[in-house]
Amino acid sequence: MSNINEVTGRIFDIQRYSIHDGPGIRTIVFMKGCPLRCKWCCNPEGQKHDIQEMNFAGRNKIVGRDVTVSEVMEEIMQDLPYYRRSGGGITLSGGECLFQPKFGLALLEAAKNAGLSTAIETTGFSTWEIYRSYLTLTDHVLMDIKNINNEKHMHFCGQSNERILENARRAAEEHSDITIRVPVIPGFNDTEKEISDIAFFAKSLRGVKKLNLLPYHRLGMDKYSALGRKYELADLPLIEEEKMYRLLAAAEKSGLDCKIGG
């Protein structure tokens, strides 16, 4: 890709010093736009590609800005000593990082050229050609599998899971470092059978060795009202710790390296 430093994209945040989104200390670039509409999404400001306004307690905040690869890399490289000591680097997130392939690929290529570890957090919802192009520039893949049941997936996420599952199968044939992440949501996928189904599907994928269960939380709830939207899961209870460990035990029967969080 020529002139990669001049390629532009739209982001809504850059988060430094993350330790939960790939190995080591990482900088997370949150990219605007996502084809899914998961009801529990903690980054609703990342769903639309549009630049938006959020109103917190009467104060407006603009969400979304257009940047070049060069501008993002300038900020990322400020923490180069931390990456080198910890084995960290850059992680592309969102939104959905596959949603802006020209920018995402240019940013990954620039990071690679700088000797940084690269990772993506993805729903896997894209054409296979786009997903595959990301894999060639990505060291660590963190991929969501939310439910094997397509009807539930459609209702809670707004899209079919068929493309996601097929892309997971294909990605696992070509990439050897894929961690499956499962946001555990009451009423959606919080039964031992549903978690077991996801885990055994993940186990069937050659490039998958790890599975992380992410307990439901409400940390992004206030963002919905700030965007003038209703948070549909406001009355949903949090999952008790004892239940999370039962779900973890169900996942571990698959033989994968499983944990809560991460």
Side-chain angles (χ1 to χ4, degrees):
M1 186 180 296
S2 60
N3 300 319
I4 60 171
N5 290 326
E6 299 175 9
V7 175
T8 61
R10 184 166 291 173
I11 66 173
F12 64 94
D13 198 11
I14 295 178
Q15 178 182 309
R16 297 163 67 184
Y17 311 119
S18 174
I19 58 172
H20 300 296
D21 302 279
I25 297 172
R26 311 191 73 83
T27 296
I28 316 302
V29 181
F30 291 90
M31 298 167 61
K32 267 279 206 175
C34 182
L36 272 62
R37 291 294 181 268
C38 301
K39 294 180 182 294
W40 62 87
C41 180
C42 62
N43 290 324
E45 73 274 34
Q47 292 179 347
K48 289 186 176 181
H49 185 256
D50 303 339
I51 294 176
Q52 298 169 280
E53 282 192 12
M54 298 179 74
N55 187 297
F56 289 101
R59 304 182 70 175
N60 286 335
K61 174 185 177 183
I62 301 298
V63 181
R65 59 189 172 103
D66 293 329
V67 293
T68 65
V69 167
S70 178
E71 289 170 333
V72 175
M73 287 301 298
E74 183 177 354
E75 184 165 348
I76 288 170
M77 294 302 287
Q78 293 177 30
D79 295 323
L80 183 59
Y82 296 103
Y83 308 145
R84 286 178 171 168
R85 286 200 293 267
S86 69
I90 178 177
T91 299
L92 303 189
S93 187
E96 170 52 65
C97 66
L98 305 184
F99 191 78
Q100 297 185 59
K102 185 176 180 181
F103 177 62
L105 292 170
L107 191 49
L108 289 172
E109 185 175 343
K112 278 290 189 183
N113 291 343
L116 300 184
S117 161
T118 57
I120 60 172
E121 293 181 320
T122 181
T123 67
F125 191 93
S126 74
T127 66
W128 168 240
E129 290 73 23
I130 289 175
Y131 195 3
R132 188 181 194 185
S133 64
Y134 273 73
L135 295 179
T136 63
L137 293 167
T138 302
D139 298 314
H140 313 283
V141 177
L142 309 172
M143 182 178 180
D144 281 7
I145 300 290
K146 299 174 173 68
N147 205 311
I148 301 300
N149 183 293
N150 191 39
E151 184 177 349
K152 271 195 166 183
H153 199 279
M154 285 281 293
H155 178 69
F156 277 82
C157 304
Q159 294 282 5
S160 167
N161 66 3
E162 292 178 0
R163 178 181 295 184
I164 293 169
L165 299 181
E166 179 58 25
N167 281 346
R169 293 185 186 98
R170 289 183 168 189
E173 291 298 314
E174 300 199 12
H175 204 285
S176 61
D177 193 333
I178 301 176
T179 297
I180 298 300
R181 286 178 157 184
V182 186
V184 182
I185 313 299
F188 171 59
N189 63 358
D190 64 330
T191 67
E192 292 180 33
K193 182 182 186 307
E194 286 168 309
I195 295 300
S196 177
D197 287 347
I198 296 170
F200 276 92
F201 170 79
K203 176 64 175 178
S204 73
L205 307 178
R206 185 172 64 178
V208 174
K209 302 294 185 294
K210 298 178 181 180
L211 183 143
N212 297 344
L213 300 179
L214 311 180
Y216 170 69
H217 60 75
R218 305 191 192 99
L219 297 180
M221 185 168 65
D222 291 344
K223 296 180 181 180
Y224 286 80
S225 58
L227 288 166
R229 294 173 54 186
K230 179 182 179 181
Y231 184 66
E232 296 183 29
L233 305 183
D235 297 326
L236 208 63
L238 300 181
I239 302 177
E240 295 181 356
E241 184 178 18
E242 180 184 353
K243 181 173 185 178
M244 282 302 306
Y245 279 103
R246 291 202 305 271
L247 297 177
L248 177 64
E252 288 176 329
K253 291 178 181 177
S254 67
L256 289 174
D257 177 7
C258 302
K259 71 174 183 178
I260 297 171

